[in-house]
């Protein structure tokens, strides 16, 4: 019976809840307050609302449970929209949530989301995205107190990790983590000249040296950026040296561009003295900034103004004034959008020359905006769907044009990673591996195109180092590192939790292990490429992109070697990173000195983790740490790294010897074995253009999936072909697609609750 009949003969529903007295007497309750029974007896009627039972589906229950957890941790926003289709790999920018309110008190290292117990949700969201993090300037040397830690920023990533390690491993004797913000590397100040003040045209170089400096800038920047129109610039240059006062009065903006070119040229050409606190040629930059017209005047020559603003942004980024750089570039980008440069330009109206110049500066600003957005960890300004400016086919274009097009395509991948992996409230659940999978497919398509262009445009009979291909390789590897950083943070947090609480062993799942393998391999190859650039004198001494590539790669390798036993078998990467950074420092790069100091701090902070791997904890510790670097096979037949921590049966006895075995890293892709590089770095041979390739591990014999004692085969030295994209990247496009397919985890249901989803693909719980 679902109810009872009233006096009118109508059936009434049974009360959904009963009062305490009716429940104890096991009689029917009317459900109203007071109920009929209590009212008749003039008794107090009490209902227990929390004991009320309702019937809901498990799916709804898990979803409500997840939302409550998000609200409690500050992760939830009501207007989220999630896409669950595994078939749709394109990014929908409507899924990006609007900015949320964040608390400045949530400085990094406060610890609420840094670790979870085994039964709690394990990183329900990307730890680099949510919750938002700020870091405080403890020295109080600036009026600006709080600094936002952008999710994709290498600078922010290093501060997050260093502060977390500092707080967890050295609570009593913390290290001082330098802020290294805008204005710390170089001391550059300027004041705006008065409008009626005549421009200073003194102490300028002669005409021939000015042309030489222009060509120096073209050599260092011209393969990637189109920051000035060479023909137009030379015409104005000759006019200036013919009648300087008339030319400056005619176009003060062009004079600013000329001064900026001189500043870049001298910075590229001459090394900064160790005693100087500013780069060579900074006086030209300061003069240009003082003469820069007010914003309304920039619209008189919009294309030239965009070029000048882009030059200023790149110079400020080069002197490690990233925030100011982004603001100036934002002005250039907005001017370009207002001018419609992001749209397909009508050549018949504008003329071929103006249309080409406009297209060149648009794509230059586009590349810089993606790079600076990545560097600061901020969203991109212009959506890809709003850009209709056309790109030429790089396979049929001159090499210089092909290089620009390829850099645009890599910038598109950067934009895709920022919008997916680092999108607002991107969760580390069933959706996250699909985002990684889609990124790998993007990378595979890009690798195919890069290979084709390298083969047709940059390969010749002279076995020489190509600055174009090496920079494209470095950018490609940086994208892989960028896409896998959130997983490194997850493993780091779990490793620190085990170190603190002696938690039970946990094994990294096979898909995540393969992604981290890719990250480590890309970091190694990045340092290898940069080392070769140093040997050939081609490493950047002023702009900071090579510095960021070196620091990012070395930081990841140092960190993973400490948190994943055996992932980086030796520490040769430190020597190579030091060589690269020392060469940059020798050339006057003050920012490289900052990055080198930060790597030294990281190396010091992770020493307890290395000691734990080797069982060298002191007697005061109540926990013994043992580590195994071999791949562990769980009940499902999958494999991964194991991070093991156990209690010491006898603290008076010596700790167990840390045993490291080479792991079987053969990845079956399309029926073929691809041997992952498990050696740290190839040994350099005599001669700069011959390098030993990475040692490959042989496949295990017999039917065994894993071997406990595998000896690497030493291959003969081969000529290192810088145009061989597969050789430098390590994975072919087909292998990337196969790895992407392995991340298609149909068994993981996004409706099954955050904890089970996350642990189902990051960790092997049955190992």
């Amino acid at each position: 019976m679902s109810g009872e009949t009233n006096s009118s003969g109508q059936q009434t529903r049974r009360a959904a809840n009963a009062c305490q007295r009716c429940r104890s007497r096991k009689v029917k309750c009317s459900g109203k307050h007071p109920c009929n029974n209590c009212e008749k007896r003039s008794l107090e009627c009490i209902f227990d609302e929390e004991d009320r039972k309702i019937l809901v589906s498990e799916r709804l229950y898990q979803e409500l449970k997840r939302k409550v957890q998000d609200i409690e941790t500050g992760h939830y926003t009501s207007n989220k929209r999630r896409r669950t289709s595994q078939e749709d790999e394109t990014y929908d920018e409507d899924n990006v949530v609007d900015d949320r309110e964040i608390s400045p008190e949530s400085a990094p290292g406060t610890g609420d989301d840094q670790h979870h117990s085994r039964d709690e949700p394990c990183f329900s969201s990307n730890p680099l995205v949510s919750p938002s993090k700020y870091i405080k300037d403890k020295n109080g040397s600036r009026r600006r107190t709080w600094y936002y830690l952008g999710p994709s920023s290498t600078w922010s990533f290093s501060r997050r990790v260093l502060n977390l390690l500092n707080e967890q491993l050295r609570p009593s004797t913390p290290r001082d983590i330098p802020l290294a913000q805008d204005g710390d590397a170089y001391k550059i100040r300027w004041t705006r000249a008065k409008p009626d003040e005549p421009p200073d045209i003194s102490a300028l170089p002669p005409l021939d040296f000015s042309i030489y400096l222009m060509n120096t800038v073209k050599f260092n920047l011209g393969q990637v950026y189109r920051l000035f129109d060479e023909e137009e610039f030379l015409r104005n240059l000759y006019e200036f040296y013919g009648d300087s006062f008339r030319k400056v009065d005619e176009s003060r903006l062009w004079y600013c561009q000329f001064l900026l070119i001189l500043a870049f040229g001298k910075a590229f050409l001459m090394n900064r003295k160790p005693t100087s606190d500013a780069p060579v040629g900074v006086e030209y930059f300061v003069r240009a900034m003082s003469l820069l017209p007010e914003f309304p005047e920039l619209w008189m020559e919009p294309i030239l103004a965009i070029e000048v603003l882009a030059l200023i942004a790149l110079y400020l980024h080069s002197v490690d004034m990233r925030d100011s750089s982004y603001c100036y570039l934002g002005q250039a980008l907005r001017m370009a959008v207002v001018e419609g440069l992001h749209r397909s330009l009508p050549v018949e109206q504008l003329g071929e020359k103006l249309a080409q110049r406009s297209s060149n500066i648009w794509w230059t600003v586009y590349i810089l905006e993606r790079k600076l957005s990545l560097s600061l960890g901020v969203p991109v300004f212009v959506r890809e769907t709003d850009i209709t400016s056309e790109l030429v086919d790089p396979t049929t274009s001159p090499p210089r044009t092909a290089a620009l097009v390829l850099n645009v395509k890599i910038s598109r991948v950067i934009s895709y990673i920022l919008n997916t992996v680092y999108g607002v409230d991107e969760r580390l659940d069933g959706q996250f591996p699909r985002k990684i999978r889609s990124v790998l497919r993007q990378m595979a398509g890009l690798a195919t195109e890069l290979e084709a262009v390298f083969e047709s445009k940059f390969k010749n009979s002279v076995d020489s180092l190509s600055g174009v291909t090496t920079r494209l390789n470095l950018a490609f590897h940086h994208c892989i590192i960028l896409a896998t950083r959130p997983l490194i943070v997850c493993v780091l947090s779990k490793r620190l939790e085990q170190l603190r609480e002696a938690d039970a062993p946990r094994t990294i799942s096979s898909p995540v292990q393969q992604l981290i393998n890719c990250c480590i391999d890309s970091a190694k190859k990045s340092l290898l490429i940069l080392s070769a650039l140093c040997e050939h004198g081609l490493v950047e001494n002023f702009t900071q992109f090579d510095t960021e590539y070196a620091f990012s790669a070395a930081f990841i390798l140092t960190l993973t070697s400490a948190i994943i036993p055996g992932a980086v078998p030796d520490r040769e990467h430190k020597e190579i990173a030091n060589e690269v950074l020392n060469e940059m420092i020798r050339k006057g790069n003050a920012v490289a000195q900052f990055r080198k100091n930060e790597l030294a701090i990281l190396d010091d902070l992770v020493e307890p983790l290395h000691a734990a791997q080797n069982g060298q904890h002191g007697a005061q510790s109540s926990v013994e740490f043992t580590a195994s670097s071999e791949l562990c096979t769980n009940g499902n037949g999958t494999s991964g790294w194991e991070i093991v921590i156990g209690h010491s049966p006898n603290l008076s006895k010596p700790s167990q010897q840390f045993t490291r075995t080479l792991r079987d890293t053969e990845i079956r892709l399309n029926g073929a074995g691809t041997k992952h590089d498990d050696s740290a770095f190839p040994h350099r041979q005599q001669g700069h253009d011959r390098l030993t390739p990475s040692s490959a591990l042989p496949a295990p014999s017999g039917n065994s999936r894993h071997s406990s004692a595998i000896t690497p085969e030493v291959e003969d030295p081969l000529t290192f072909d810088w145009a061989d994209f597969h050789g430098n990247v390590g994975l072919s496009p087909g292998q990337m697609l196969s790895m992407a397919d392995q991340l298609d985890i149909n068994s993981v249901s996004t409706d099954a609750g955050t904890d089970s989803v996350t642990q189902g693909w990051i960790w092997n719980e049955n190992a």
Side-chain angles (χ1 to χ4, degrees):
M1 293 286 295
S2 60
E4 57 186 13
T5 306
N6 59 18
S7 58
S8 61
Q10 295 178 336
Q11 191 178 46
T12 60
R13 295 181 61 84
R14 178 179 295 172
N17 194 14
C19 70
Q20 292 179 356
R21 192 170 300 276
C22 290
R23 190 185 309 118
S24 64
R25 296 177 59 216
K26 299 187 183 300
V27 297
K28 290 182 180 180
C29 182
S30 64
K32 65 180 183 178
H33 186 274
C35 71
N36 294 338
N37 294 330
C38 292
E39 190 175 24
K40 288 178 183 179
R41 293 172 175 80
S42 299
L43 299 174
E44 183 181 8
C45 186
I46 302 174
F47 285 83
D48 292 332
E49 289 293 332
E50 56 270 18
D51 290 336
R52 181 177 181 179
K53 294 181 175 65
I54 60 173
L55 185 65
V56 297
S57 66
E58 182 180 0
R59 175 176 178 177
L60 178 59
Y61 168 74
Q62 294 291 353
E63 180 66 13
L64 292 173
K65 179 182 176 182
R66 181 181 64 78
K67 289 182 178 180
V68 170
Q69 292 166 347
D70 286 353
I71 292 173
E72 291 176 347
T73 58
H75 295 175
Y76 179 70
T77 180
S78 60
N79 62 340
K80 290 186 299 183
R81 289 173 50 196
R82 299 171 53 80
R83 180 185 302 174
T84 58
S85 172
Q86 298 185 17
E87 302 298 327
D88 190 356
E89 295 297 333
T90 60
Y91 176 71
D92 182 1
E93 298 199 30
D94 290 336
N95 285 336
V96 176
V97 184
D98 293 337
D99 295 337
R100 296 164 291 169
E101 291 187 2
I102 50 182
S103 172
E105 284 76 18
S106 60
T110 52
D112 288 344
D113 64 316
Q114 290 168 357
H115 60 273
H116 304 266
S117 69
R118 198 177 185 82
D119 296 326
E120 292 176 343
C122 181
F123 289 104
S124 60
S125 62
N126 185 338
L128 297 178
V129 173
S130 180
S132 298
K133 290 287 186 180
Y134 281 73
I135 190 171
K136 189 175 184 179
D137 180 11
K138 297 180 181 179
N139 296 327
S141 58
R142 299 172 175 83
R143 293 183 179 178
R144 181 182 180 186
T145 305
W146 293 98
Y147 291 85
Y148 173 60
L149 298 180
S152 65
S153 166
T154 299
W155 175 86
S156 298
F157 175 75
S158 65
R159 266 58 192 178
R160 287 172 184 262
V161 171
L162 291 175
N163 278 280
L164 178 60
L165 291 171
N166 208 24
E167 198 170 86
Q168 296 287 325
L169 300 180
R170 303 194 49 174
S172 57
T173 57
R175 287 288 304 262
D176 182 27
I177 309 298
L179 192 59
Q181 252 299 333
D182 280 29
D184 287 350
Y186 301 98
K187 305 302 179 185
I188 303 176
R189 300 290 184 271
W190 63 86
T191 56
R192 183 173 293 276
K194 297 178 181 179
D196 56 350
E197 183 180 346
D200 183 6
I201 59 173
S202 63
L204 296 175
L207 175 61
D208 55 350
F209 190 56
S210 296
I211 296 174
Y212 177 61
L213 292 176
M214 182 206 71
N215 285 320
T216 301
V217 175
K218 180 181 175 182
F219 171 78
N220 285 275
L221 301 177
Q223 296 290 354
V224 181
Y225 313 110
R226 300 292 189 275
L227 292 162
F228 62 95
D229 183 83
E230 183 177 356
E231 181 181 347
E232 186 71 13
F233 181 82
L234 285 174
R235 182 184 65 79
N236 286 308
L237 184 66
Y238 285 114
E239 290 180 1
F240 173 77
Y241 276 92
D243 190 344
S244 56
F245 289 103
R246 184 188 65 81
K247 187 62 183 178
V248 171
D249 184 63
E250 176 185 299
S251 178
R252 179 176 292 201
L253 188 58
W254 176 85
Y255 183 54
C256 291
Q257 185 183 47
F258 170 57
L259 293 171
L260 291 168
I261 295 295
L262 295 182
F264 267 109
K266 294 201 101 178
F268 287 133
L269 198 60
M270 304 173 188
N271 297 336
R272 179 183 64 91
K273 295 180 180 180
T275 56
S276 175
D277 58 1
V280 180
V282 69
E283 65 275 9
Y284 297 124
F285 174 78
V286 169
R287 193 186 302 184
M289 295 302 293
S290 67
L291 295 173
L292 187 67
E294 295 291 345
F295 214 83
E297 296 181 46
L298 296 179
W299 291 106
M300 298 177 64
E301 300 175 276
I303 303 300
L304 178 61
I306 297 169
E307 293 174 343
V308 169
L309 291 171
L311 279 165
I312 293 172
L314 184 56
Y315 191 95
L316 289 173
H317 184 269
S318 300
V319 296
D320 206 35
M321 298 176 67
R322 299 180 300 274
D323 297 343
S324 301
S325 169
Y326 182 75
C327 291
Y328 276 97
L329 188 71
Q331 293 182 6
L333 185 66
R334 283 161 175 78
M335 287 193 71
V337 170
V338 170
E339 287 293 299
L341 304 189
H342 62 302
R343 297 295 192 180
S344 180
L345 300 175
V347 180
E348 62 279 1
Q349 280 186 292
L350 303 179
E352 185 175 353
K353 184 177 179 180
L354 179 57
Q356 185 62 50
R357 184 181 179 184
S358 301
S359 178
N360 284 339
I361 191 55
W362 161 252
W363 289 120
T364 296
V365 171
Y366 171 89
I367 294 169
L368 283 172
E369 193 262 346
R370 264 43 179 179
K371 285 186 175 182
L372 296 191
S373 296
L374 174 64
S375 178
L376 287 177
V378 297
V380 296
F381 173 66
V382 182
R383 299 182 302 177
E384 296 293 336
T385 53
D386 291 331
I387 301 172
T388 60
S389 182
E390 298 177 357
L391 283 173
V392 298
D393 184 359
T395 59
T396 59
S397 304
R400 193 162 176 259
T401 303
L404 176 67
V405 173
L406 293 180
N407 275 283
V408 170
K409 291 180 180 294
I410 286 185
S411 298
R412 285 177 174 172
V413 173
I414 291 175
S415 177
Y416 188 78
I417 293 173
L418 288 173
N419 288 332
T420 52
V421 178
Y422 293 93
V424 176
D425 206 44
E426 278 302 330
R427 308 182 60 82
L428 287 178
D429 54 13
Q431 292 295 320
F432 192 77
R434 295 185 189 115
K435 299 298 184 184
I436 297 289
R437 180 186 65 181
S438 64
V439 168
L440 286 174
R441 289 180 173 173
Q442 290 272 337
M443 299 291 287
L446 176 62
T448 300
E449 189 163 8
L450 289 175
E451 181 193 12
V453 179
F454 284 3
E455 185 69 26
S456 61
K457 295 297 176 184
F458 300 106
K459 199 168 186 178
N460 51 53
S461 60
V462 179
D463 185 17
S464 59
L465 190 67
S466 169
V468 176
T469 58
T470 51
R471 271 14 184 267
L472 289 168
N473 274 312
L474 286 170
F476 189 93
H477 287 304
H478 192 58
C479 287
I480 294 176
I481 294 172
L482 179 69
T484 51
R485 272 184 191 163
L487 304 178
I488 301 293
V489 174
C490 288
V491 177
L492 168 64
S493 184
K494 186 59 186 177
R495 183 74 173 103
L496 293 174
E497 180 185 339
Q498 291 177 332
L499 189 67
R500 182 181 62 254
E501 300 179 3
D503 200 4
R506 180 165 291 192
T507 306
I508 300 174
S509 66
S510 180
V512 175
Q513 171 224 322
Q514 292 177 23
L515 287 172
I516 295 178
N517 272 343
C518 283
C519 178
I520 292 171
D521 193 57
S522 287
K524 291 176 181 179
K525 285 185 166 61
S526 294
L527 289 181
L528 177 64
I529 293 172
L530 288 165
S531 178
L533 287 171
C534 285
E535 292 174 353
H536 288 75
L538 294 175
V539 72
E540 293 175 349
N541 68 318
F542 183 58
T543 53
Q544 299 304 320
F545 298 111
D546 282 359
T547 309
E548 180 161 348
Y549 294 148
F551 175 70
S552 177
F555 197 94
I556 283 291
L557 290 173
T558 302
L559 185 60
T560 52
S561 69
I563 64 176
I564 305 177
V568 185
D570 58 54
R571 301 190 184 185
E572 191 181 353
H573 66 272
K574 293 184 180 180
E575 299 177 9
I576 297 181
N578 276 332
E579 290 176 5
V580 172
L581 293 174
N582 284 337
E583 176 63 14
M584 294 176 177
I585 294 168
R586 187 190 67 80
K587 290 186 172 184
N589 190 334
V591 182
Q593 183 65 63
F594 284 9
R595 302 292 93 88
K596 182 182 177 182
N597 294 341
E598 290 154 16
L599 288 174
I601 294 174
L602 174 65
D603 195 43
D604 178 57
L605 290 176
V606 299
E607 193 57 39
L609 297 176
H610 287 295
Q613 291 179 23
N614 291 279
Q616 295 174 349
H617 256 8
Q620 74 276 10
S621 175
S622 61
V623 180
E624 180 188 30
F625 304 94
T626 59
S628 171
S629 62
E630 62 188 28
L631 285 175
C632 304
T633 306
N634 63 17
N636 298 327
T638 58
S639 58
W641 285 305
E642 186 176 17
I643 305 176
V644 183
I645 293 179
H647 291 276
S648 175
N650 189 347
L651 289 175
S652 63
K653 295 182 180 180
S655 300
Q656 294 180 349
Q657 180 67 29
F658 171 65
T659 304
R660 184 173 63 193
T661 57
L662 292 173
R663 52 184 201 278
D664 169 23
T665 54
E666 180 180 23
I667 303 173
R668 299 287 179 180
L669 298 174
N670 296 329
T674 300
K675 300 178 178 66
H676 182 80
D677 177 13
D678 203 21
S679 60
F681 284 94
H683 298 291
R684 286 188 286 273
Q685 305 295 316
Q686 294 181 354
H688 295 318
D689 56 347
R690 293 184 64 81
L691 301 170
T692 306
S694 303
S695 301
L697 295 179
S701 58
N703 297 325
S704 175
R705 283 190 55 145
H706 306 291
S707 174
S708 59
I710 302 175
T711 304
E713 296 178 352
V714 180
E715 300 180 4
D716 295 331
L718 299 175
T719 301
F720 198 90
D721 186 357
W722 293 101
D724 181 10
F725 190 74
H726 285 175
N728 294 337
V729 169
L731 290 177
S732 69
Q735 292 165 353
M736 286 187 185
L737 289 174
S738 297
M739 184 175 293
D741 291 339
Q742 292 184 33
L743 290 177
D744 190 2
I745 311 173
N746 294 321
S747 61
V748 177
S749 171
T750 58
D751 302 326
T754 303
D755 187 40
S756 60
V757 169
T758 305
Q759 297 185 15
W761 77 278
I762 293 184
W763 309 106
N764 283 338
E765 295 299 316
N766 299 322

